[in-house]
Amino acid sequence: MIPSQLLVSATLSVFSFLQVSSLDTFIAAVYEHAVILANVTLTPVSPEEALALMNRNLDLLEGAIIAAAKQGAHIIVTPEDGIYGVRFTRESIYPYLEDIPDPHVDWTPCNHPNRFGHTPVQERLSCLARNNGIYVVANIGDKKACNTSDPQCPPDGRYHYNTNVVFDSQGKLVARYHKQNLFMGEEQFDTPKEVEVVTFDTAFGKFGIFTCFDVLFHDPAVTLVDKCHVDTVLFPTAWMNVLPHLSAIEFHSAWALGMGVNFLASNIHNPQQRMTGSGIYAPDFPRTFHYDMKTKEGKLLLSQLESHPYRPKVNWTSYASSIDAFSVGNQEFKGTVFHDEYTFVELKGIAGNYTVCQKDLCCHLSYQMSELRSDEVYAFGAFDDLHTVEGRYHLQICTLLKCKTIDVQTCGDSVDTAATRFDMFSLSGTFGTQYVFPEVLLSEVQLAPREFQVTSDGRLLSVQPTSRPVLTVTLFGRLYHKDGATSASAHSTAHWLEGLLIVIIPLVYSLCW
Ligand SMILES: *[C@@H]1O[C@H](CO)[C@@H](O)[C@H](O)[C@H]1NC(C)=O
Ligand SMILES: *[C@@H]1O[C@H](CO)[C@@H](O)[C@H](O)[C@H]1NC(C)=O
Ligand SMILES: *[C@@H]1O[C@H](CO)[C@@H](O)[C@H](O)[C@H]1NC(C)=O
Ligand SMILES: *[C@@H]1O[C@H](CO)[C@@H](O)[C@H](O)[C@H]1NC(C)=O
């Protein structure tokens, strides 16, 4: 028999150990990096030239990592393509790639630099993490040799992966993630055969990681939250802003809110390519963000976050399906938002109530403007269909937006300034999904922290008059299960995919450690 006193003290010491080693809050950093681009990207350079360019970028990242660590940051995220840039062929990316081993090998490149061949970039990142006592998240390229024993092996005899790596504060490689949803033009990289659902535990919560375009799809992004229950998502990106609904700060902060996780988004800084917009987003409101189309400099952001943020439960259909439609008194018209045809009505008065429907989705809006201007027009619209340009994904969207000019033909066009503030808005929709991302974007592409809330019955509600004029107030819904099908011919594909999913899902889930 174990003496009870011993049992108690053993329990206590385990308990106090847990208390010492776990933190309720932590300091996160993201760095928006003005990446130095190679002069030549479409023809191969020598390995020495490739490394020289990567070291120039690493010099800048080093400055950010040291500055973040000095300010107490526990972890720093750097952008996708932040070390070698963009626009390569398979051949021309090759000199930039390193073999990145599975983290289970237990490797600290700073201590054992030559264990897996020539890996100077991993060595430098590992040393930066170790010497500064900070987790470092970076995006580099992985190469894996293959041969004819593998029928899918590319003709050049190797797989190339767009890869995120994480080194812990001792410099050890703790995570490696190969990007699943490559964007158009990323032909230098291969798609992994199976979705990788990558997580790691720290004293300040459980982390998941994915890259850029992945954020629009179910796997691995939604799986990390729903099945692996991560607290914080690490998100290196090279994001080109698309208004009105897909600017970086807008969509990424909305994802944090809709999914109930912390989200650390680090973008490339390249205003010429419309790439800017990084931030540290918590599920209740954005803690800090950066959007800068004017300067050429990078920017370090820091903020304190809760290690285990509270995830509120929202039923996105409850309110909208419980009320009667408002009568629309004025004419509907069609307008195009990023290649999609919306059904719109124009907001006629300084205040009003409107309902607008498309297919299975009805959207309700109540609003009060601060003033009714003659030089601006706002429209309220609904969209329920498969988006097919630059990716296929089914959307259900309710949106209030500023039209580019007073001609209603321009409703849905990109516009980044406005003059009308709103004293009140309330937006809801009869969504066929619980994956709805609430966006509020103000004039000059600014977020509205603490100016609105989401209620448990699925309303996006203002809590005060907006601090700036309004570009858009939007509920961006994703129907992941409909991505595979719209027409009758696509139906059989969906069935086939469903069968495939049943096979794949257990594999994917077993990867959630
Ligand atoms: C590109 O070429 C210019 C002019 O020759 C040079 O100054 C610059 O350093 C080069 N950039 C890179 C990344 O090599
Ligand atoms: C081909 O790949 C397999 C598995 O990776 C390996 O065992 C084998 O040695 C390779 N063969 C050649 C000729 O490289
Ligand atoms: C959401 O609310 C609607 C209407 O009140 C109800 O029918 C539905 O079952 C709820 N959905 C969930 C997931 O709770
Ligand atoms: C909008 O509807 C609410 C109640 O549903 C009502 O109190 C308000 O007066 C209406 N506003 C306008 C401008 O019709």
Side-chain angles (χ1 to χ4, degrees), residues 319-335:
Y319 178 79
S321 53
S322 73
I323 63 166
D324 294 329
F326 298 118
S327 62
V328 173
N330 58 351
Q331 242 181 346
E332 289 183 352
F333 62 96
K334 300 287 184 196

Side-chain angles (χ1 to χ4, degrees), residues 314-319 321-322 434:
V314 177
N315 181 331
W316 285 105
T317 44
S318 181
Y319 178 79
S321 53
S322 73
Q434 295 304 322

Side-chain angles (χ1 to χ4, degrees), residues 214-268:
D214 283 333
V215 74
L216 276 162
F217 299 93
H218 190 276
D219 288 310
V222 173
T223 301
L224 282 167
V225 179
D226 283 357
K227 296 291 186 294
C228 305
H229 306 292
V230 299
D231 299 297
T232 300
V233 165
L234 305 169
F235 185 69
T237 189
W239 191 280
M240 243 182 241
N241 291 311
V242 178
L243 291 171
H245 299 144
L246 286 171
S247 72
I249 56 172
E250 174 189 30
F251 190 66
H252 305 155
S253 62
W255 206 88
L257 220 164
M259 297 302 292
V261 289
N262 294 322
F263 196 90
L264 312 186
S266 164
N267 199 359
I268 281 191

